[in-house]
Amino acid sequence: MDEDRSITEAASLINQAKCLVAFSGAGVSEESGIPTFRDPGGLWDRFDPYELGGGDIFSAMFRGSGIPRSAVDFVSEMVSVLERASPNPGHLALGELEGMGILRSVITQNIDNLHREAGNTLVIEVHGNLFRLACLVCGNKIYLGREELFSMGRKLVELMRESDLQGIIGLVSRCACGGVCRLDVVGFGEPVQDMPLAISEARGSDLFLILGTSGAVYPAAYLPEHAKKAGAKLIEINATGCYFPDIVDIGIIGKTGDVLPRVVDRVKELRR
Ligand code: APR
């Protein structure tokens, strides 16, 4: 089916949907300058996820073997790309669909807070959110402002370059309960967040959008199947291919920042 016809079909399904839910991955933020993980030149193409995806960076440091150069480069890159990032037309289109009363929720694997910045309110972040701290004792969550997070990030990079263990420990925030706080993001092998809510949103949907994800990471990648089994129709938009070919009803190969605004325009035409 040619792209324009797929966009019209997708808009027609969205226009009829009673409960639309979106599921997003790194591809949605690629046009905001944040590299994806598994594309050529992506983060896991240049860095070892198992060295960086868990807490090993700091345990290496506590063992006194200094901080791997790759860890410094990784954190430094993340601080600079996230600091420059803002919602792109793909994020804004989802914000608009919520504003039109069509989109109910966004389930995201992204930790960049861009769906919230684009105006979506029910955002289920199964891999956490970088702009949030979580207390390891009472579980309290504390939101960080952009400048608060990025000045901490820049300071961390500096201290990592010097392998300054004391300095890094000094950056650790404390909760009101006295507990130590960590960034509220999910590392490899750690439990995901709000999965029961994400599953109930997927199962409650009659139309499920799959946006910019390779579907390589579980349990998040089960969510399209939950929606399908519950009778929802599925639309996938991905720049490099269709990663759920067996279950999607419409697959559009294109960038979400280009395709989603065109879909929203078509929905508006249908509603005139
Ligand atoms: N628009 C749409 N799709 C895009 C775009 C774009 N502008 N740019 C890239 N893509 C596609 C890629 O081709 C790829 O299929 O988005 C997908 C991104 O896949 P991954 O890099 O694997 O990211 P994601 O699926 O979100 O990874 C899941 O893995 O590393 C962990 O915790 C991390 O949340 C992440 C999880």
Side-chain angles (χ1 to χ4, degrees):
M1 199 191 304
D2 73 27
E3 187 181 87
D4 203 58
R5 223 178 103 216
S6 309
I7 287 178
T8 302
E9 297 257 340
S12 153
L13 285 181
I14 289 173
N15 193 38
Q16 295 154 37
K18 302 257 175 319
C19 184
L20 175 66
V21 170
F23 171 54
S24 72
V28 170
S29 295
E30 182 267 335
E31 292 154 274
S32 297
I34 304 175
T36 62
F37 296 94
R38 293 172 187 81
D39 285 310
L43 289 169
W44 300 153
D45 189 31
R46 295 179 286 121
F47 298 99
D48 173 352
Y50 293 95
E51 184 184 61
L52 299 170
D56 293 10
I57 304 176
F58 298 105
S59 53
M61 207 172 53
F62 287 110
R63 285 195 303 275
S65 52
I67 298 182
R69 175 62 201 266
S70 61
V72 181
D73 294 346
F74 177 77
V75 176
S76 162
E77 178 173 336
M78 293 314 286
V79 170
S80 66
V81 295
L82 284 158
E83 191 163 12
R84 286 196 302 269
S86 59
N88 66 57
H91 297 107
L92 298 170
L94 295 176
E96 207 174 348
L97 282 174
E98 181 179 321
M100 292 162 71
I102 298 175
L103 180 67
R104 175 186 159 78
S105 62
V106 177
I107 306 165
T108 188
Q109 300 166 88
N110 302 343
I111 60 174
D112 56 34
N113 205 48
L114 292 177
H115 285 302
R116 290 180 189 280
E117 288 177 32
N120 288 107
T121 48
L122 181 47
V123 180
I124 303 159
E125 295 146 324
V126 293
H127 294 158
N129 183 316
L130 206 55
F131 291 76
R132 208 167 48 210
L133 295 174
C135 173
L136 295 172
V137 174
C138 71
N140 183 28
K141 308 245 175 177
I142 304 154
Y143 271 90
L144 298 169
R146 288 185 69 82
E147 191 34 44
E148 215 179 340
L149 175 68
F150 295 120
S151 61
M152 192 166 71
R154 287 190 293 272
K155 186 72 190 153
L156 175 62
V157 172
E158 211 182 289
L159 294 166
M160 288 174 80
R161 285 213 164 90
E162 296 147 15
S163 283
D164 177 350
L165 180 54
Q166 289 311 323
I168 291 172
I169 292 170
L171 276 183
V172 172
S173 309
R174 292 256 172 202
C175 170
C177 79
V180 165
C181 294
R182 59 165 280 178
L183 282 175
D184 193 25
V185 293
V186 176
F188 281 107
E190 293 183 329
V192 294
Q193 300 187 2
D194 298 329
M195 207 60 204
L197 177 58
I199 291 172
S200 82
E201 285 295 304
R203 287 187 177 152
S205 70
D206 63 353
L207 185 58
F208 195 76
L209 294 181
I210 308 167
L211 307 170
T213 180
S214 63
V217 170
Y218 291 82
Y222 286 127
L223 290 166
E225 269 166 56
H226 282 291
K228 187 75 179 178
K229 284 204 183 101
K233 284 206 177 310
L234 278 62
I235 299 171
E236 181 177 6
I237 305 173
N238 187 299
T240 59
C242 194
Y243 290 78
F244 299 85
D246 306 336
I247 57 174
V248 300
D249 299 276
I250 299 177
I252 303 175
I253 300 185
K255 293 196 169 217
T256 44
D258 167 48
V259 173
L260 281 171
R262 290 162 62 194
V263 170
V264 172
D265 287 346
R266 210 61 58 88
V267 172
K268 287 179 185 165
E269 282 163 23
L270 290 170
R271 293 191 163 213
R272 265 197 212 115

